[in-house]
Amino acid sequence: MCVTGELNKGMGNQRVDKSKAYLLAVHLKSQDINRTLAALDEVRSLAETMNFEVVGQEIQSRDAYDSKTYIGTGKLIEMRRIVEDQDISLVLFDHELTPNQGKFLEKQLGCMVLDRTQLILEIFANHAQTPEAKEQVELAQLKYMLPRLVGLWAHLDREKGGIGLSKGTGEKQINIDRTIIRKRISKLEKSLGKIARERQTQSNLRKKCFLSCVVGYTNAGKTSLVNQLTGAGLYIENKLFATLDSATRVMDNHTKPKILLSDTVGFIDNLPHSLIASFRSTLSVVKEADLLLHVIDASNPDIDKVIETTTEVLREIGAANIPLLIVLNKIDLVEDQVEMLVLKKKFPEAVMVSALDIQSVQRFKKEVSGFFERNLKSERTLLPYERSSLLSKFYQLGMVEKIDYEDEGIYITHKMTPTNQKILAASLLETANR
Ligand SMILES: Nc1nc2c(ncn2[C@@H]2O[C@H](COP(=O)(O)OP(=O)(O)OP(=O)(O)O)[C@@H](O)[C@H]2O)c(=O)[nH]1
Ligand SMILES: [Mg+2]
C-alpha cells in the first residue's frame, strides 16, 4: 500500500524527476528552538530517504498549534503561494496531523500533504523486502488508517446533495471499509503470529549461544558494525531505515558457547506506535539478547535525544532490563578534541569505535567477548553417575572448565549464560523426575 504511489514512480537510481517537497514546522514558543530545528532536519532526512527534492522550509512560531490549519491562516496563505510559484508536489510536516487537518491542508494547498508518521510508514513500505516485513508494514498502515476513515469519507456526506447520494452514504462507506480493513488486520495478525512461532523455534536454537544485539537510532551505523564484526555483508546505506529485518550471524566461533550478533531495525524519535506493535516479532530478537549494544552516532549533535528514544522503545518492547553497552560509533567524524573529551567524560564506560577503522572494531570485539566472560559466573554442579549421559549438555550449553570424578558423582565446573542455566536446570529436573 503506497500513499505516494504516483510520486514514487521511477524511484530509485533510475528516477529522473524528483518530486519537489517543502518542509513545514510549527515551533511552539514554550519549546526549545534547537529541538524544532532538529525535528525539521530529521523530516528532511526522511524526505531525502524517499528521494524527494527538498526545495525549502519554513518554521512558524506560535503559542499553540491551530486546530484547523495547524500552521495558522496567515502562514497557510503564504504557503499556498509558494506551492503555486515553485510547483511543489508535496508539503511535509514535522508533526502528526489530525485527519481533518491533513484533508483541510491538502485542499487549501492544492498538493499532497504528509505528516511525519505517514512519511515514516511510507519509507517502511518502500524498504520492506521480506514477506514478514511487508506484512508488518501493511498492518501498521491499516492500524494507522482505521481511525482516520471518518476524515476520508466525510466529504461524501457533505457532498451528497450535489452528487445524488443518499443521506449517510459516507457513513455506510466507512462501515464497509472498516469491516474490510478489520478483516485484513485479523488475517495479517494471524499470518504474523505464524511467522512469530517459527521464529520462536529458531530462537530456541539460538539460546544455546550467547546472543548480543545491536540496537539504536536509525543510521547510527549498526549494520556497518555487524558487517565488520561478522563479515555478514548486509545491506547498508546512508539513508534512514535501511534495515527492516533482523539478521543473526556468528561473531566469535572460538568461545563456548559461540557469540552471535544480531542486527535489527533502527529507531526514531516518535516512532509510530502502530509500527512498534507490528514489528514486535522482528524485535523479539532484542528481547532475547544476553547483551544489547546500543550504537550511537557520536557525531549526532543531540545524543541525549537519541538515547532517550532508544531507552523508551526498549522499555516499550520489554527489553529495558537487559545488560547494555554504549557504543559510540562514527568516532572518525568527531574531529574536535574538546568534543571528544566531553564524550569521554559523559560516557566513561562507552566503547569508542569507527566502523571504518578495523583496529577499533577489533578492540570493540574484545570488549564484547570480555563482557561475555565477565558476566558468566562459574558454577559447580554435581551430576550423579546414573545420569552421566547429560554431561554432553554441559558442553552444548556452555564452557566446561573442570571435571572431578568423586564417589558421589561427577562435579562439573562450568560457565554459561543465565538463559542456558535455566535450560540446563530444566533438563536436569526432567531426567530426575523420570
Ligand atoms: N564516517 C563513518 N560513517 C559510518 C560509520 N559507520 C557507518 N557509517 C555510515 O553511516 C551510514 C549508515 O550506516 P548503516 O550501517 O546502514 O546504519 P544503521 O544504523 O544500520 O541504519 P538503519 O538500518 O537505517 O537503521 C552508511 O552510509 C555508513 O557507511 C562510521 O564509523 N564512520
Ligand atoms: Mg541497518
Side-chain angles (χ1 to χ4, degrees):
M1 190 190 306
C2 207
V3 179
T4 52
E6 279 306 304
L7 293 167
N8 286 336
K9 264 185 198 161
M11 267 194 62
N13 296 335
Q14 319 92 314
R15 187 185 182 91
V16 186
D17 290 327
K18 287 188 175 188
S19 301
K20 279 192 194 173
Y22 208 93
L23 312 183
L24 255 180
V26 167
H27 169 63
L28 293 184
K29 288 174 188 159
S30 56
Q31 285 175 345
D32 177 359
I33 182 72
N34 290 322
R35 282 268 158 123
T36 308
L37 288 169
L40 201 57
D41 269 354
E42 204 157 79
V43 176
R44 178 182 290 270
S45 299
L46 290 166
E48 284 166 359
T49 295
M50 282 295 291
N51 249 343
F52 298 142
E53 184 192 356
V54 178
V55 294
Q57 65 177 53
E58 296 280 328
I59 296 179
Q60 173 73 345
S61 272
R62 295 183 58 87
D63 292 321
Y65 302 115
D66 184 79
S67 61
K68 189 170 180 191
T69 64
Y70 180 69
I71 45 176
T73 313
K75 197 71 187 174
L76 186 59
I77 294 167
E78 197 185 304
M79 220 25 248
R80 186 159 49 203
R81 227 182 5 254
I82 293 177
V83 168
E84 272 172 22
D85 292 352
Q86 297 190 33
D87 197 19
I88 305 291
S89 309
L90 76 165
V91 176
L92 307 172
F93 287 81
D94 71 322
H95 203 256
E96 189 165 313
L97 300 171
T98 65
N100 285 339
Q101 281 170 339
K103 271 201 82 61
F104 180 79
L105 285 165
E106 255 180 14
K107 206 165 175 184
Q108 295 297 316
L109 293 172
C111 70
M112 184 180 276
V113 161
L114 287 182
D115 66 15
R116 200 172 175 284
T117 302
Q118 286 171 310
L119 205 46
I120 294 171
L121 286 170
E122 281 297 296
I123 294 173
F124 270 68
N126 267 310
H127 289 187
Q129 297 281 342
T130 61
E132 183 183 16
K134 284 182 183 163
E135 289 193 352
Q136 290 180 133
V137 176
E138 189 184 346
L139 182 62
Q141 285 182 314
L142 292 177
K143 284 188 170 169
Y144 177 80
M145 201 191 237
L146 199 57
R148 284 158 205 269
L149 285 179
V150 179
L152 288 176
W153 287 105
H155 69 285
L156 270 186
D157 276 343
R158 277 199 305 273
E159 293 160 9
K160 59 187 180 290
I163 54 177
L165 292 168
S166 61
K167 197 171 187 307
T169 303
E171 191 51 43
K172 272 187 214 142
Q173 189 58 49
I174 291 165
N175 287 335
I176 294 166
D177 283 0
R178 270 206 194 111
T179 312
I180 295 171
I181 290 179
R182 285 215 180 94
K183 271 193 187 147
R184 181 73 188 145
I185 285 179
S186 144
K187 198 165 172 223
L188 286 168
E189 281 177 341
K190 266 195 201 130
S191 163
L192 286 167
K194 190 165 164 255
I195 297 176
R197 283 191 294 282
E198 285 163 11
R199 201 178 267 279
Q200 189 58 44
T201 317
Q202 291 164 13
S203 101
N204 288 341
L205 295 173
R206 266 198 312 259
K207 270 184 192 143
K208 296 200 174 118
C209 302
F210 180 87
L211 180 66
S212 47
C213 183
V214 291
V215 290
Y217 220 70
T218 179
N219 212 41
K222 299 179 294 299
T223 308
S224 304
L225 283 172
V226 171
N227 280 348
Q228 293 288 23
L229 289 162
T230 68
L234 299 167
Y235 175 70
I236 55 166
E237 208 187 353
N238 194 17
K239 287 196 167 174
L240 307 187
F241 304 114
T243 307
L244 289 193
D245 300 291
S246 300
T248 304
R249 298 288 186 275
V250 177
M251 182 176 112
D252 203 332
N253 246 332
H254 307 295
T255 55
K256 270 208 153 224
K258 287 175 190 162
I259 302 181
L260 301 185
L261 182 59
S262 283
D263 185 21
T264 194
V265 56
F267 308 147
I268 198 166
D269 194 23
N270 290 322
L271 196 60
H273 285 282
S274 62
L275 265 179
I276 301 180
S278 304
F279 272 71
R280 244 168 231 287
S281 102
T282 295
L283 288 168
S284 64
V285 71
V286 177
K287 250 174 81 175
E288 288 165 9
D290 297 294
L291 170 66
L292 296 179
L293 303 169
H294 180 177
V295 181
I296 297 168
D297 175 351
S299 67
N300 187 317
D302 199 351
I303 284 190
D304 290 340
K305 187 194 78 182
V306 162
I307 293 182
E308 221 174 85
T309 300
T310 303
T311 310
E312 184 53 43
V313 180
L314 290 179
R315 196 167 34 230
E316 209 169 325
I317 61 170
N321 295 324
I322 300 172
L324 183 141
L325 199 64
I326 294 218
V327 181
L328 292 172
N329 185 39
K330 305 199 186 181
I331 214 75
D332 54 294
L333 299 179
V334 185
E335 280 163 6
D336 182 16
Q337 288 305 310
V338 178
E339 231 176 275
M340 192 70 169
L341 283 173
V342 171
L343 284 175
K344 280 186 177 157
K345 192 152 182 237
K346 196 165 176 180
F347 304 103
E349 309 276 310
V351 182
M352 306 266 183
V353 68
S354 162
L356 309 185
D357 169 22
I358 290 297
Q359 277 183 347
S360 74
V361 172
Q362 288 310 328
R363 278 199 302 275
F364 174 38
K365 196 168 182 170
K366 280 204 185 113
E367 284 279 343
V368 178
S369 307
F371 180 93
F372 161 73
E373 304 226 324
R374 278 196 305 280
N375 277 269
L376 298 186
K377 271 199 308 200
S378 240
E379 306 247 350
R380 198 161 183 251
T381 306
L382 172 65
L383 187 66
Y385 284 113
E386 63 272 20
R387 288 156 69 199
S388 58
S389 60
L390 278 178
L391 191 55
S392 60
K393 274 260 169 219
F394 287 79
Y395 283 96
Q396 272 173 23
L397 294 170
M399 255 178 293
V400 174
E401 295 178 320
K402 196 165 169 250
I403 296 194
D404 298 308
Y405 292 90
E406 303 290 348
D407 291 347
E408 59 275 33
I410 310 167
Y411 279 98
I412 304 149
T413 312
H414 56 88
K415 270 184 173 181
M416 62 186 66
T417 63
T419 319
N420 285 3
Q421 293 275 14
K422 282 186 205 147
I423 296 174
L424 179 73
S427 299
L428 292 175
L429 197 69
E430 197 185 301
T431 51
N433 290 339
R434 266 186 210 149

